[in-house]
Amino acid sequence: MVCVILAANYSTFAQNSVWLRVQSKNFQLVGDADDASLRRTAAKLEQFRYVFAQLFPQMKFNSPIPTRVVVFKDKKTFDQFKPIEWAAGFFQPDEDINYIVLSADGGETGNFQTIFHEYTHFLVDNSMGRANIPPWFNEGIAEYYEQFLIENNQKVTLGAAHAGNLQVLRRGEIIPFETFFATDYYTLHKQSKESAQLFYAQSWAVLHYLLQGGGAARRAQFDQFVESLMRGTKAKDAFRQAFQTEFATLETELRKYVAQTDFSATVVPFREKLIFDADMKTFPVSESEAKAFQGDLLYHTRRLDEAERFLSEALALDANSSIANTSLGLVKMKQKKFSEAKIYLEKAILLDSQNYLAFYSYASAISRESMTELGFASNYERADAEKIRANLRRAIALNPDFAESYNLYAFVSIIRNEEIDSSIAMIKKALEIAPGNQWYAMRLAELYMRKDDFSGARALAQKIALTASEDRLKVYAENSVRMINALEAQFNYARNYRKRPDPEEVTEIPMSDEEIARRRERALIESLNTTLRRANPDEKRFLGRLTNIECREKQVIFSISADDGVLQLTTASLENLRLISFEPEFVNSEFGCGAVRKENLAVVTYRPGAVGKSKIAGEIVAVEFVPKTFRFLGEEK
């Protein structure tokens, strides 16, 4: 549940609070907490990061994305910014910055458990890539290390018993290990709260057993397993190679382990105290900067209206605030007010020529200005493309470790179908920086498609379709696999057909041009009939022409003309709609809200709604644009 607070309350807190900024070796901290609280929080985060790095030296800890920590002086102020009601602290990742947010008076255990959990996810994903990490390992290691404790800056305790997880497991439930180890992120995120809790608890128990069970008897095997994952070995193969056992054996061992009463923690005493004060510096924060930091935080938690109010107040106090101009530009972009966004971002660049994020965001604003209302890019004019690239090159020169700059550069190249080889090099650089970003891997697959490298593109897209945790990415990857298969079929047909065979090999009368065209068309139709999405038992599909898209606040209504008249179908979220084109001409056409003027033919799949007075026939599931000559083969008509 999101906490909504009136703007007047924010202003009161901002006026009565004095903000400070503390810079440690790896974190930037800001907030209205006192200097001692900020430094204590910085020390705790630095200690956790240091210990984790000692335990996993092979992992990648230097993130290209900066982490900003906001420490509020009390729970009352923190509550106004937290995204969900029950959060004692939260970790908010994003493409440009990560936020860790907590209050100084919330109690260290409650505050830091959630943060240690999510920060562990971030470090593991950043090092190994989410697609290479099975969910049980990712969740288990985060549950394990959220129990991190340190006493006297020297005595570290790891693997303390997790009372909540033990309570869940001791009900007698254990997920069968074949099912448990086969669970992917998408399936996990679709489970009920109770099923997910059991999965997290069992993941913790498996990690706890592998790290500490039997006097850490399997710890060396666990390290071997992690090393195999980082080399790219499939999780199931890495598991069997490292642990030399079958799932059934481990399941029996785990049941015995969970039933015991003694869960001894591992104590790691360091020779020297883990003190990081010497690396810390404290700076005052102006009222304008304080409002800008709060506005930027609200922007990254998707509370745009409140963010805009804070940032406008910041600029009223100091019109030359680079962070406020940059953040307000980002807010305007989210609001699709691109002309306004560019004004703020241009000013941010003038105020701070070293602000790589302003250069990147300005390029992003230009790119999105040419997109339709539904977020599709049809084409970029050469002048716009060059302006985007120039700003991205500047952003890359200022911060070569900011991966999003490479990603946007590659996207523009895909749309314009140029600079493909250099863009492949760029997106590979982005994947070196952030191996866990599956959207970058999809971008690489799209670039491979442009070079007719269908096997390389398909391998990437299929892996993402199997491992993606979010609906939008999973649908995008599945659609891309279909597109790759269709394009490859057409490419192979054209490559293998010999229009002028060797006269000595001719045994039949040469085909006429009309017969050649007919056979080519037939091959294409057969290929598409195989490639198109199949309708589920509760769905229907038909061949029609999209005539209009009506965008309302909470739904989008599609009007499709078919043989039986015009059918209206709706969706509440475009993210779940499969939208793909097998017709090159339509790929480059405008596609947005309003009348669709471009002649088109599409296979439309929908889930029929209840029969009633509504003109809406059901929920649209997929729109697959096909060539004008397409028809269904076999039983379907």
Side-chain angles (χ1 to χ4, degrees):
M1 186 172 93
V2 175
C3 221
V4 180
I5 308 295
L6 296 177
N9 290 341
Y10 287 124
S11 298
T12 301
F13 284 114
Q15 289 169 3
N16 294 338
S17 301
V18 175
W19 278 56
L20 297 172
R21 176 167 64 89
V22 169
Q23 184 67 53
S24 68
K25 184 176 181 180
N26 295 288
F27 301 93
Q28 180 195 77
L29 294 90
V30 297
D32 60 352
D34 57 41
D35 184 46
S37 296
L38 287 169
R39 286 173 171 265
R40 188 164 55 249
T41 302
K44 185 74 67 176
L45 292 169
E46 291 286 1
Q47 289 167 343
F48 178 81
R49 187 181 185 280
Y50 178 83
V51 171
F52 204 93
Q54 302 310 302
L55 295 169
F56 297 97
Q58 71 273 44
M59 285 193 179
K60 181 180 178 182
F61 289 89
N62 292 323
S63 168
I65 301 174
T67 297
R68 180 179 294 155
V69 185
V70 180
V71 185
F72 291 106
K73 63 182 180 182
D74 53 41
K75 187 173 181 296
K76 184 177 181 181
T77 314
F78 165 77
D79 284 349
Q80 300 174 74
F81 290 85
K82 64 183 181 182
I84 48 178
E85 182 65 32
W86 51 263
F90 65 91
F91 181 90
Q92 179 71 43
D94 215 331
E95 64 183 28
D96 59 327
I97 191 169
N98 300 313
Y99 269 102
I100 292 174
V101 187
L102 66 160
S103 68
D105 69 350
E108 287 196 356
T109 301
N111 277 355
F112 283 98
Q113 276 191 353
T114 300
I115 289 165
F116 289 157
H117 181 109
E118 297 301 333
Y119 190 55
T120 300
H121 277 319
F122 171 71
L123 290 174
V124 172
D125 288 354
N126 187 58
S127 300
M128 304 168 72
R130 174 162 290 222
N132 300 318
I133 312 167
W136 67 267
F137 175 83
N138 208 344
E139 293 301 335
I141 199 168
E143 290 281 313
Y144 180 88
Y145 282 104
E146 76 173 36
Q147 302 293 315
F148 171 90
L149 293 172
I150 186 167
E151 299 174 68
N152 299 321
N153 297 316
Q154 192 169 12
K155 181 182 175 183
V156 174
T157 301
L158 301 171
H162 197 301
N165 286 336
L166 283 172
Q167 184 178 6
V168 171
L169 291 167
R170 284 174 177 168
R171 295 172 188 160
E173 299 176 82
I174 288 286
I175 303 170
F177 269 36
E178 283 289 345
T179 302
F180 175 70
F181 285 109
T183 301
D184 58 27
Y185 291 101
Y186 184 80
T187 305
L188 175 60
H189 288 189
K190 292 296 182 182
Q191 290 182 359
S192 66
K193 180 180 179 180
E194 292 74 18
S195 297
Q197 284 179 335
L198 177 58
F199 185 88
Y200 297 147
Q202 188 163 324
S203 298
W204 167 80
V206 169
L207 260 293
H208 199 284
Y209 172 65
L210 295 177
L211 289 169
Q212 295 187 190
R218 289 191 180 273
R219 178 58 196 257
Q221 294 174 321
F222 176 81
D223 292 340
Q224 181 185 340
F225 171 71
V226 173
E227 290 174 3
S228 295
L229 285 180
M230 295 192 69
R231 289 196 303 268
T233 307
K234 291 184 178 179
K236 194 169 185 178
D237 294 337
F239 184 92
R240 287 183 170 149
Q241 291 168 13
F243 298 109
Q244 297 294 305
T245 188
E246 296 299 318
F247 290 154
T249 303
L250 187 62
E251 184 175 341
T252 301
E253 294 175 6
L254 186 73
R255 288 181 183 276
K256 293 179 181 178
Y257 187 68
V258 170
Q260 70 179 1
T261 56
D262 181 22
F263 278 83
S264 301
T266 298
V267 178
V268 183
F270 284 82
R271 290 183 179 180
E272 298 180 0
K273 289 192 174 186
L274 304 182
I275 298 174
F276 298 89
D277 280 356
D279 295 325
M280 297 183 197
K281 295 180 180 179
T282 303
F283 305 91
V285 174
S286 68
E287 185 180 354
S288 173
E289 286 179 303
K291 287 181 178 291
F293 283 132
Q294 293 170 85
D296 192 67
L297 171 60
L298 288 165
Y299 162 75
H300 284 91
T301 53
R302 311 300 186 260
R303 292 159 66 176
L304 301 184
D305 291 343
E306 296 152 291
E308 183 176 7
R309 284 196 291 271
F310 261 106
L311 295 167
S312 296
E313 289 177 10
L315 290 175
L317 292 166
D318 179 7
N320 293 326
S321 167
S322 182
I323 181 177
N325 277 286
T326 302
S327 295
L328 191 50
L330 294 172
V331 169
K332 294 298 182 182
M333 277 198 355
K334 286 289 185 183
Q335 295 170 337
K336 298 184 178 180
K337 299 176 181 177
F338 301 110
S339 296
E340 293 181 50
K342 289 194 295 184
I343 292 171
Y344 287 109
L345 294 169
E346 286 170 350
K347 187 167 185 179
I349 289 170
L350 288 173
L351 291 168
D352 182 2
S353 62
Q354 303 302 303
N355 187 341
Y356 73 90
L357 183 58
F359 283 101
Y360 163 76
S361 300
Y362 185 65
S364 182
I366 300 170
S367 73
R368 297 188 185 187
E369 195 172 27
S370 297
M371 291 182 181
T372 67
E373 296 95 330
L374 302 183
F376 296 97
S378 56
N379 192 22
Y380 291 118
E381 297 296 333
R382 178 166 296 280
D384 287 339
E386 285 307 313
K387 190 178 290 186
I388 293 170
R389 287 171 173 147
N391 280 277
L392 290 175
R393 284 191 288 267
R394 180 62 175 152
I396 290 169
L398 290 169
N399 186 355
D401 289 331
F402 184 61
E404 279 297 313
S405 297
Y406 303 102
N407 182 43
L408 181 54
Y409 200 106
F411 177 74
V412 174
S413 297
I414 290 170
I415 296 299
R416 288 189 55 82
N417 195 24
E418 59 190 16
E419 298 190 23
I420 301 302
D421 288 333
S422 60
S423 293
I424 287 175
M426 282 196 167
I427 207 67
K428 284 184 176 180
K429 172 67 175 176
L431 283 166
E432 288 176 11
I433 297 167
N437 193 309
Q438 291 181 300
W439 282 107
Y440 296 167
M442 273 307 313
R443 189 75 72 226
L444 182 58
E446 292 169 330
L447 288 163
Y448 283 161
M449 286 172 62
R450 293 291 187 181
K451 290 181 65 67
D452 297 332
D453 181 1
F454 301 112
S455 60
R458 182 166 42 247
L460 286 168
Q462 284 178 334
K463 183 176 183 180
I464 295 166
L466 291 172
T467 58
S469 58
E470 56 173 307
D471 285 341
R472 181 166 168 257
L473 178 57
K474 185 177 182 65
V475 168
Y476 194 89
E478 290 172 345
N479 283 345
S480 296
V481 171
R482 292 185 175 87
M483 172 68 88
I484 292 163
N485 291 337
L487 290 175
E488 184 178 38
Q490 296 176 47
F491 178 85
N492 288 337
Y493 182 85
R495 183 182 61 183
N496 295 332
Y497 177 74
R498 294 181 301 172
K499 185 175 182 180
R500 300 295 186 195
D502 190 319
E504 294 181 3
E505 297 180 6
V506 174
T507 57
E508 299 179 0
I509 299 173
M511 289 182 289
S512 65
D513 290 343
E514 290 78 8
E515 178 64 12
I516 293 171
R518 188 187 69 78
R519 292 195 180 193
R520 183 180 289 116
E521 180 182 312
R522 173 75 183 187
L524 175 59
I525 291 172
E526 288 178 351
S527 171
L528 286 176
N529 269 269
T530 303
T531 304
L532 289 167
R533 180 188 184 279
R534 308 302 298 177
N536 292 325
D538 63 336
E539 298 171 347
K540 293 183 178 181
R541 71 174 187 173
F542 65 94
L543 200 58
R545 286 176 170 77
L546 183 61
T547 59
N548 190 71
I549 303 173
E550 182 182 351
C551 299
R552 298 182 180 178
E553 185 176 352
K554 294 184 179 180
Q555 67 174 343
V556 181
I557 299 174
F558 294 80
S559 297
I560 300 105
S561 175
D563 292 341
D564 297 332
V566 176
L567 202 67
Q568 288 191 328
L569 302 169
T570 185
T571 180
S573 173
L574 289 170
E575 292 184 356
N576 296 329
L577 174 64
R578 297 172 187 265
L579 183 65
I580 191 169
S581 177
F582 299 101
E583 172 52 65
E585 289 185 12
F586 198 75
V587 171
N588 292 324
S589 67
E590 290 294 332
F591 185 78
C593 303
V596 179
R597 296 179 179 84
K598 184 79 175 179
E599 185 178 353
N600 64 84
L601 186 67
V603 175
V604 179
T605 306
Y606 73 102
R607 195 171 294 113
V611 177
K613 296 181 180 180
S614 175
K615 294 180 180 179
I616 305 299
E619 179 186 3
I620 194 164
V621 175
V623 180
E624 298 169 287
F625 295 105
V626 292
K628 300 171 186 176
T629 56
F630 177 81
R631 64 185 183 280
F632 288 122
L633 299 177
E635 296 180 1
E636 191 163 14
K637 296 183 180 178

